Amino acid sequence: RTLLAGIVLNAGFVLAESTIGWWANSAALLADAAHNLGDDLGLGLSLLAVALGSRQPTARLTWGYRRSSV
């Protein structure tokens, strides 16, 4: 839940910065919004790794997907 909250908050900053940056013609704000979008994508990948890592092992995957977090 904490990771998901971080993704949502960061996405809000991306939206706000990109909107204000577009309105103010500010390349700095638009660049920072793009940087934060990259951070958001990284957080999304880590959320996917956590979700995969919590799956139960099967007969074929005896460790489950725990190594996906690496």
Side-chain angles (χ1 to χ4, degrees), residues 41-63:
L41 293 174
L43 287 171
L45 282 176
S46 63
L47 183 64
L48 177 66
V50 167
L52 286 176
S54 66
R55 285 186 164 182
Q56 295 297 320
T58 62
R60 190 173 75 84
L61 298 168
T62 57
W63 273 81

Side-chain angles (χ1 to χ4, degrees), residues 1 3-4 11 13 25-26 28-31 34 46-47 50 59 68 70:
R1 284 179 16 199
L3 191 56
L4 187 60
F13 279 113
N25 289 329
S26 173
L29 280 176
L30 290 173
S46 63
L47 183 64
V50 167
S68 66
V70 175

